[in-house]
Amino acid sequence: EKNTKPMNDLMFLSGEFLHIIRPLFTIRCHGAFQANTVLTWLIGLMIDVASHRLTISAMGGKENLVPPTKDEITRRKFRWLLYCLRQPMWHLFTERTLGVIESMLNTVAPGIGRLISGYIVSLLHYSQKHHFMLEGLV
């Protein structure tokens, strides 16, 4: 156990370091590559996944986490969903999928489906346009 403690500490620090530098690295990638490319998006996601894996491994797995740490790890993992609102994934996948879901809801529940789906789609469009377009750049 004494031999694995320094390795676990190093893995934990590496995971936390990756989590902290991801926004800075994303900004650097926007400068090095063309802004809003799939590569920039993919690099940010890979850094988040690597950070998650290193942190979980260093702590001995999900079952060994204390509740506050488990909550933080869950919050970070939930933020992965926000990658669907970032460019270019928004135009390549999310926007088209929303259109299909909206039309399906309109046919399944003609009256209320149109209201609900229209409201949700407009909220996501607003959020993507005003909040996630430049996330990580400010």
Side-chain angles (χ1 to χ4, degrees):
E1 181 158 318
K2 285 184 177 182
N3 294 340
T4 61
K5 175 104 171 92
M7 185 59 146
N8 287 345
D9 289 345
L10 180 64
M11 286 172 48
F12 179 77
L13 287 174
S14 299
E16 291 299 302
F17 181 73
L18 284 174
H19 177 72
I20 291 168
I21 67 159
R22 188 208 40 91
L24 300 173
F25 200 76
T26 303
I27 291 170
R28 181 68 180 135
C29 286
H30 273 272
F33 307 116
Q34 187 180 16
N36 296 330
T37 63
V38 175
L39 184 60
T40 303
W41 179 88
L42 195 58
I43 287 171
L45 181 62
M46 287 189 314
I47 290 173
D48 272 348
V49 170
S51 167
H52 174 76
R53 296 249 184 216
L54 284 169
T55 303
I56 292 290
S57 296
M59 305 205 79
K62 293 179 186 176
E63 60 278 349
N64 295 332
L65 299 176
V66 294
T69 306
K70 193 177 234 177
D71 292 343
E72 175 64 17
I73 295 295
T74 302
R75 184 193 68 79
R76 289 181 188 181
K77 199 169 182 181
F78 183 69
R79 283 186 51 89
W80 293 357
L81 290 174
L82 299 179
Y83 277 92
C84 292
L85 294 176
R86 293 183 185 157
Q87 295 292 351
M89 185 54 80
W90 174 260
H91 287 293
L92 295 176
F93 174 74
T94 309
E95 196 170 34
R96 293 177 186 163
T97 305
L98 281 176
V100 169
I101 292 172
E102 184 178 22
S103 65
M104 190 172 65
L105 277 174
N106 290 342
T107 58
V108 170
I112 196 149
R114 183 175 304 261
L115 289 172
I116 293 172
S117 64
Y119 181 70
I120 291 172
V121 168
S122 67
L123 279 176
L124 288 173
H125 275 282
Y126 176 83
S127 295
Q128 195 278 333
K129 182 178 179 185
H130 296 289
H131 298 289
F132 296 101
M133 193 72 159
L134 298 174
E135 195 204 49
L137 294 178
V138 180

